[in-house]
Amino acid sequence: MASLPPAARGALSVLAGAIIAIGLPPLGWWPLAFLGFPLFLMLLASGPRKGWRDGFGLGWAFGLGYFAVAFHWIGFAFLVQADTYLWMMPFMLGILAGGMAIYWGLAALLARRFGGNGLQLALTFSAVLAGAEWLRGHLLTGFPWAAPGLLVDGMGGVAQAAAVIGMTGLSLLVILWASLPLVFLQGGSRASRVAAAVILLSLPAVWIWGDARLRTARDDMVPGVAIRIVQPNLPQDETWREDNARQILDDLEQLSALPTAERPEGIGGISHVVWPESAVPFLIDESPVARAELAPLLGGRTVLLTGAVRLDRKGEGEDPDAHNSIIVFDGRAEPVARYDKWRLVPGGEFLPLAWLLEPLGFRKVVQTPGSFVPGPGPRTITLPGGLRAALTICYEAIFPQRLVDDAERPQVIVNVTNDGWFGRSTGPWQHLAQARLRTIEQGLPMIRAANTGISAVIDPYGRTLRMLPLMEKGVVDSPLPVALSPTPYGRWGDFWLVLLATAVLGCAYLAGKSTSRG
């Protein structure tokens, strides 16, 4: 491979990254990682060790191929109002994929400079790329979507390790396992091949442990709690039209009261109804008409949680601050609590570098009466009836860190979202898969309400108990699973990741010493 021209090496690196990304949900073809990572590492190992341009360039191309495929679904959002936004699609996707690929380029540069070959390179690369993924999830607001650890969605019991090492720890393990075939392809020493085989055996060991954890899983439900999730399946181009307000509210109310085989009495006996993100195109907390209609529906007993735009009014002549919120109504349709989204979507809810991009014609995709303002952060809200809930909106569920309030542990995570922007793409499936990882990490169940799907009730082991498919209108009725005791990841966060990465780098150092002696 060292004899290949630079363009061919770069193209193969792009291909290697794309191959891995194809294995992400919903396909679940995780074995493709065992092709993509060794291919890239063979290219990396064949270049000059001190050639930073070669190392960074190959890593950036590798990341570009991965993120271009993993993020392609974002392009669907620009088709909703194509006459306004379509021209922005190649720029935004290119900037996002290319920007995320910088992290992979830096990881490849470090691995090539210090990682040697064979086993040492596989060990070093897995640790430094996991570190780069941690940074990707934290710097510049963070965007940890499609971490390599998400491949475990198709790996059965392996996902249960998220309860200990979290998503980034899973990324480290997946990268390491998938990179080890390099040792055999390069014809390493017998000792390195034995060591690689032993490390590979940890994959079935973790899988078996995870399956055993699931077999002994608790199935207890919270007494007196019955959930109804409403999925209106409203096309995105109709969601924000004010002339649709009457029909949208009627549909939500009818679905909320719908008799089902499980609940022939309709909303009777339901303790909590959950509507999706930005469920109605008006300010529902400021609408006496809407609240007058909701009061008899809720019947003095049912709590409603709905996604909604909320305004903070200012002085006369000043634009209000808009919040993407969840508003809690009690059984009398009185707003009793609210949660304001604090992780806003770059390019969607706010425009980074607006001073530079707005004069060029760029706009944020979601238009509001004012600018979206972030809320104060995660907090536990005690709902009427005493249920403690961590409320989250949309892509806040992709972040492992600061998901819940550590000072007051909730009993459930509520996530409302609107993935209608992305149609039937892979985006909604990947979003759901990342939400499932959050439940395993925290040992908490999740109620997930999505406008066009995929709405679901997920238990604290990441198992989907009830689900309404993508692009289907209806409701999901379910009891609420009991939360587990705090998991190791829930207690200590990425502490265990640091220990794992340190151990892997220590093994890489020993592997390098062994090679130099040989």
Side-chain angles (χ1 to χ4, degrees), residues 75-89 237 421:
F76 284 66
F78 297 92
L79 301 177
V80 174
Q81 299 179 35
D83 55 336
T84 302
Y85 298 109
L86 184 60
W87 71 272
M88 294 168 52
M89 180 170 65
D237 57 358
W421 295 97

PDB file of all heavy atoms in Angstrom, residues 75-89 237 421:
ATOM      1  N   GLY A  75     -29.466  15.734   5.407  1.00  0.00           N
ATOM      2  CA  GLY A  75     -29.853  16.391   4.168  1.00  0.00           C
ATOM      3  C   GLY A  75     -31.352  16.419   3.947  1.00  0.00           C
ATOM      4  O   GLY A  75     -31.868  17.314   3.247  1.00  0.00           O
ATOM      5  N   PHE A  76     -32.086  15.466   4.535  1.00  0.00           N
ATOM      6  CA  PHE A  76     -33.539  15.439   4.366  1.00  0.00           C
ATOM      7  C   PHE A  76     -34.192  16.697   4.936  1.00  0.00           C
ATOM      8  O   PHE A  76     -35.247  17.116   4.462  1.00  0.00           O
ATOM      9  CB  PHE A  76     -34.129  14.194   5.029  1.00  0.00           C
ATOM     10  CG  PHE A  76     -33.919  12.926   4.259  1.00  0.00           C
ATOM     11  CD1 PHE A  76     -32.648  12.393   4.075  1.00  0.00           C
ATOM     12  CD2 PHE A  76     -34.991  12.246   3.714  1.00  0.00           C
ATOM     13  CE1 PHE A  76     -32.459  11.225   3.372  1.00  0.00           C
ATOM     14  CE2 PHE A  76     -34.811  11.063   3.005  1.00  0.00           C
ATOM     15  CZ  PHE A  76     -33.538  10.547   2.832  1.00  0.00           C
ATOM     16  N   ALA A  77     -33.586  17.289   5.976  1.00  0.00           N
ATOM     17  CA  ALA A  77     -34.182  18.479   6.593  1.00  0.00           C
ATOM     18  C   ALA A  77     -34.221  19.649   5.622  1.00  0.00           C
ATOM     19  O   ALA A  77     -35.118  20.502   5.698  1.00  0.00           O
ATOM     20  CB  ALA A  77     -33.398  18.864   7.847  1.00  0.00           C
ATOM     21  N   PHE A  78     -33.280  19.698   4.696  1.00  0.00           N
ATOM     22  CA  PHE A  78     -33.235  20.810   3.753  1.00  0.00           C
ATOM     23  C   PHE A  78     -34.229  20.638   2.607  1.00  0.00           C
ATOM     24  O   PHE A  78     -34.391  21.547   1.796  1.00  0.00           O
ATOM     25  CB  PHE A  78     -31.817  20.959   3.205  1.00  0.00           C
ATOM     26  CG  PHE A  78     -30.797  21.308   4.258  1.00  0.00           C
ATOM     27  CD1 PHE A  78     -30.099  20.318   4.921  1.00  0.00           C
ATOM     28  CD2 PHE A  78     -30.560  22.624   4.601  1.00  0.00           C
ATOM     29  CE1 PHE A  78     -29.165  20.633   5.904  1.00  0.00           C
ATOM     30  CE2 PHE A  78     -29.631  22.957   5.570  1.00  0.00           C
ATOM     31  CZ  PHE A  78     -28.939  21.958   6.225  1.00  0.00           C
ATOM     32  N   LEU A  79     -34.876  19.486   2.552  1.00  0.00           N
ATOM     33  CA  LEU A  79     -35.875  19.246   1.518  1.00  0.00           C
ATOM     34  C   LEU A  79     -37.271  19.676   1.951  1.00  0.00           C
ATOM     35  O   LEU A  79     -38.176  19.764   1.114  1.00  0.00           O
ATOM     36  CB  LEU A  79     -35.903  17.751   1.155  1.00  0.00           C
ATOM     37  CG  LEU A  79     -34.588  17.152   0.637  1.00  0.00           C
ATOM     38  CD1 LEU A  79     -34.760  15.660   0.398  1.00  0.00           C
ATOM     39  CD2 LEU A  79     -34.129  17.848  -0.631  1.00  0.00           C
ATOM     40  N   VAL A  80     -37.458  19.926   3.264  1.00  0.00           N
ATOM     41  CA  VAL A  80     -38.791  20.280   3.764  1.00  0.00           C
ATOM     42  C   VAL A  80     -39.261  21.590   3.150  1.00  0.00           C
ATOM     43  O   VAL A  80     -40.398  21.706   2.687  1.00  0.00           O
ATOM     44  CB  VAL A  80     -38.778  20.367   5.305  1.00  0.00           C
ATOM     45  CG1 VAL A  80     -40.118  20.888   5.813  1.00  0.00           C
ATOM     46  CG2 VAL A  80     -38.479  18.992   5.901  1.00  0.00           C
ATOM     47  N   GLN A  81     -38.419  22.600   3.143  1.00  0.00           N
ATOM     48  CA  GLN A  81     -38.700  23.862   2.453  1.00  0.00           C
ATOM     49  C   GLN A  81     -37.582  24.077   1.438  1.00  0.00           C
ATOM     50  O   GLN A  81     -36.743  24.961   1.578  1.00  0.00           O
ATOM     51  CB  GLN A  81     -38.797  25.008   3.449  1.00  0.00           C
ATOM     52  CG  GLN A  81     -39.906  24.840   4.483  1.00  0.00           C
ATOM     53  CD  GLN A  81     -39.951  25.986   5.482  1.00  0.00           C
ATOM     54  OE1 GLN A  81     -39.679  27.134   5.145  1.00  0.00           O
ATOM     55  NE2 GLN A  81     -40.300  25.662   6.716  1.00  0.00           N
ATOM     56  N   ALA A  82     -37.597  23.232   0.413  1.00  0.00           N
ATOM     57  CA  ALA A  82     -36.490  23.163  -0.529  1.00  0.00           C
ATOM     58  C   ALA A  82     -36.233  24.491  -1.229  1.00  0.00           C
ATOM     59  O   ALA A  82     -35.082  24.836  -1.523  1.00  0.00           O
ATOM     60  CB  ALA A  82     -36.753  22.068  -1.561  1.00  0.00           C
ATOM     61  N   ASP A  83     -37.283  25.260  -1.501  1.00  0.00           N
ATOM     62  CA  ASP A  83     -37.088  26.519  -2.202  1.00  0.00           C
ATOM     63  C   ASP A  83     -36.266  27.512  -1.390  1.00  0.00           C
ATOM     64  O   ASP A  83     -35.607  28.389  -1.946  1.00  0.00           O
ATOM     65  CB  ASP A  83     -38.448  27.147  -2.562  1.00  0.00           C
ATOM     66  CG  ASP A  83     -39.346  27.323  -1.339  1.00  0.00           C
ATOM     67  OD1 ASP A  83     -39.148  26.591  -0.349  1.00  0.00           O
ATOM     68  OD2 ASP A  83     -40.249  28.187  -1.395  1.00  0.00           O
ATOM     69  N   THR A  84     -36.267  27.349  -0.075  1.00  0.00           N
ATOM     70  CA  THR A  84     -35.519  28.254   0.805  1.00  0.00           C
ATOM     71  C   THR A  84     -34.174  27.684   1.223  1.00  0.00           C
ATOM     72  O   THR A  84     -33.170  28.406   1.271  1.00  0.00           O
ATOM     73  CB  THR A  84     -36.341  28.571   2.065  1.00  0.00           C
ATOM     74  OG1 THR A  84     -37.593  29.148   1.677  1.00  0.00           O
ATOM     75  CG2 THR A  84     -35.603  29.543   2.978  1.00  0.00           C
ATOM     76  N   TYR A  85     -34.133  26.373   1.512  1.00  0.00           N
ATOM     77  CA  TYR A  85     -32.969  25.799   2.189  1.00  0.00           C
ATOM     78  C   TYR A  85     -32.135  24.834   1.358  1.00  0.00           C
ATOM     79  O   TYR A  85     -31.023  24.486   1.771  1.00  0.00           O
ATOM     80  CB  TYR A  85     -33.417  25.075   3.471  1.00  0.00           C
ATOM     81  CG  TYR A  85     -34.058  25.984   4.485  1.00  0.00           C
ATOM     82  CD1 TYR A  85     -35.416  25.933   4.764  1.00  0.00           C
ATOM     83  CD2 TYR A  85     -33.293  26.915   5.174  1.00  0.00           C
ATOM     84  CE1 TYR A  85     -36.004  26.764   5.708  1.00  0.00           C
ATOM     85  CE2 TYR A  85     -33.858  27.762   6.114  1.00  0.00           C
ATOM     86  CZ  TYR A  85     -35.216  27.684   6.370  1.00  0.00           C
ATOM     87  OH  TYR A  85     -35.788  28.508   7.301  1.00  0.00           O
ATOM     88  N   LEU A  86     -32.633  24.372   0.217  1.00  0.00           N
ATOM     89  CA  LEU A  86     -31.926  23.302  -0.490  1.00  0.00           C
ATOM     90  C   LEU A  86     -30.501  23.686  -0.864  1.00  0.00           C
ATOM     91  O   LEU A  86     -29.580  22.868  -0.775  1.00  0.00           O
ATOM     92  CB  LEU A  86     -32.709  22.890  -1.739  1.00  0.00           C
ATOM     93  CG  LEU A  86     -32.130  21.701  -2.526  1.00  0.00           C
ATOM     94  CD1 LEU A  86     -32.065  20.456  -1.642  1.00  0.00           C
ATOM     95  CD2 LEU A  86     -32.955  21.430  -3.775  1.00  0.00           C
ATOM     96  N   TRP A  87     -30.297  24.929  -1.247  1.00  0.00           N
ATOM     97  CA  TRP A  87     -28.956  25.350  -1.662  1.00  0.00           C
ATOM     98  C   TRP A  87     -27.938  25.232  -0.528  1.00  0.00           C
ATOM     99  O   TRP A  87     -26.728  25.103  -0.770  1.00  0.00           O
ATOM    100  CB  TRP A  87     -29.003  26.790  -2.177  1.00  0.00           C
ATOM    101  CG  TRP A  87     -29.238  27.819  -1.111  1.00  0.00           C
ATOM    102  CD1 TRP A  87     -30.421  28.269  -0.639  1.00  0.00           C
ATOM    103  CD2 TRP A  87     -28.218  28.510  -0.361  1.00  0.00           C
ATOM    104  NE1 TRP A  87     -30.245  29.198   0.358  1.00  0.00           N
ATOM    105  CE2 TRP A  87     -28.896  29.376   0.543  1.00  0.00           C
ATOM    106  CE3 TRP A  87     -26.828  28.497  -0.363  1.00  0.00           C
ATOM    107  CZ2 TRP A  87     -28.221  30.200   1.426  1.00  0.00           C
ATOM    108  CZ3 TRP A  87     -26.158  29.315   0.525  1.00  0.00           C
ATOM    109  CH2 TRP A  87     -26.847  30.158   1.401  1.00  0.00           C
ATOM    110  N   MET A  88     -28.432  25.272   0.722  1.00  0.00           N
ATOM    111  CA  MET A  88     -27.534  25.193   1.862  1.00  0.00           C
ATOM    112  C   MET A  88     -27.056  23.771   2.149  1.00  0.00           C
ATOM    113  O   MET A  88     -26.050  23.585   2.846  1.00  0.00           O
ATOM    114  CB  MET A  88     -28.237  25.737   3.117  1.00  0.00           C
ATOM    115  CG  MET A  88     -28.561  27.213   3.071  1.00  0.00           C
ATOM    116  SD  MET A  88     -29.685  27.751   4.407  1.00  0.00           S
ATOM    117  CE  MET A  88     -28.846  27.098   5.853  1.00  0.00           C
ATOM    118  N   MET A  89     -27.775  22.758   1.633  1.00  0.00           N
ATOM    119  CA  MET A  89     -27.524  21.378   2.034  1.00  0.00           C
ATOM    120  C   MET A  89     -26.075  20.933   1.818  1.00  0.00           C
ATOM    121  O   MET A  89     -25.434  20.438   2.759  1.00  0.00           O
ATOM    122  CB  MET A  89     -28.482  20.423   1.318  1.00  0.00           C
ATOM    123  CG  MET A  89     -28.286  18.958   1.697  1.00  0.00           C
ATOM    124  SD  MET A  89     -29.603  17.890   1.060  1.00  0.00           S
ATOM    125  CE  MET A  89     -29.343  18.041  -0.704  1.00  0.00           C
ATOM    126  N   ASP A 237     -43.894  19.750   6.746  1.00  0.00           N
ATOM    127  CA  ASP A 237     -44.239  21.001   6.070  1.00  0.00           C
ATOM    128  C   ASP A 237     -45.592  21.554   6.516  1.00  0.00           C
ATOM    129  O   ASP A 237     -45.977  22.657   6.134  1.00  0.00           O
ATOM    130  CB  ASP A 237     -44.215  20.834   4.551  1.00  0.00           C
ATOM    131  CG  ASP A 237     -45.132  19.728   4.060  1.00  0.00           C
ATOM    132  OD1 ASP A 237     -45.767  19.050   4.898  1.00  0.00           O
ATOM    133  OD2 ASP A 237     -45.219  19.526   2.834  1.00  0.00           O
ATOM    134  N   TRP A 421     -38.486  15.966  10.275  1.00  0.00           N
ATOM    135  CA  TRP A 421     -37.574  16.622   9.331  1.00  0.00           C
ATOM    136  C   TRP A 421     -36.850  15.609   8.453  1.00  0.00           C
ATOM    137  O   TRP A 421     -36.425  15.944   7.343  1.00  0.00           O
ATOM    138  CB  TRP A 421     -36.526  17.429  10.094  1.00  0.00           C
ATOM    139  CG  TRP A 421     -37.031  18.579  10.888  1.00  0.00           C
ATOM    140  CD1 TRP A 421     -37.317  18.596  12.229  1.00  0.00           C
ATOM    141  CD2 TRP A 421     -37.315  19.899  10.413  1.00  0.00           C
ATOM    142  NE1 TRP A 421     -37.761  19.834  12.619  1.00  0.00           N
ATOM    143  CE2 TRP A 421     -37.768  20.667  11.522  1.00  0.00           C
ATOM    144  CE3 TRP A 421     -37.227  20.509   9.156  1.00  0.00           C
ATOM    145  CZ2 TRP A 421     -38.116  22.001  11.405  1.00  0.00           C
ATOM    146  CZ3 TRP A 421     -37.585  21.845   9.049  1.00  0.00           C
ATOM    147  CH2 TRP A 421     -38.022  22.567  10.151  1.00  0.00           C
TER     148      TRP A 421
END
